[in-house]
Amino acid sequence: MTHFTVRFQPWDSSWLLSGPVGANGALRFKTAREAASYAQWAAKNTGGTIKVFDARGNPFKTIEIAPDVSSEDGFVLPSV
């Protein structure tokens, strides 16, 4: 299970996604929605939580992602 945090960065008006992403464990986005969407995509296999804070730093929302057990990553297709 992975944990992500989305926080506003006032000095450059971006949203910082922290967690197991990017080379330094953080990625910047123009909107909080984009950051949360990327975190949902990153957590689809293992599941996880995303804590989103508003522009003032107050907790806004916690999103829980269930692991996707229906993915076809585990199936091996025969080679032709």
Side-chain angles (χ1 to χ4, degrees):
M1 182 169 274
T2 54
H3 301 284
F4 299 93
T5 304
V6 177
R7 293 183 186 270
F8 183 67
Q9 304 298 301
W11 54 85
D12 64 355
S13 298
S14 68
W15 291 85
L16 181 69
L17 172 62
S18 303
V21 294
N24 296 323
L27 294 173
R28 295 189 191 284
F29 293 88
K30 288 190 176 221
T31 67
R33 184 181 303 266
E34 289 174 343
S37 178
Y38 185 89
Q40 287 176 334
W41 176 81
K44 69 179 180 177
N45 290 332
T46 60
T49 59
I50 306 166
K51 292 185 179 182
V52 181
F53 294 84
D54 66 14
R56 295 181 180 171
N58 298 319
F60 176 71
K61 183 182 270 189
T62 299
I63 304 167
E64 294 186 20
I65 308 297
D68 182 10
V69 294
S70 67
S71 100
E72 296 182 10
D73 293 340
F75 296 107
V76 178
L77 299 175
S79 58
V80 179

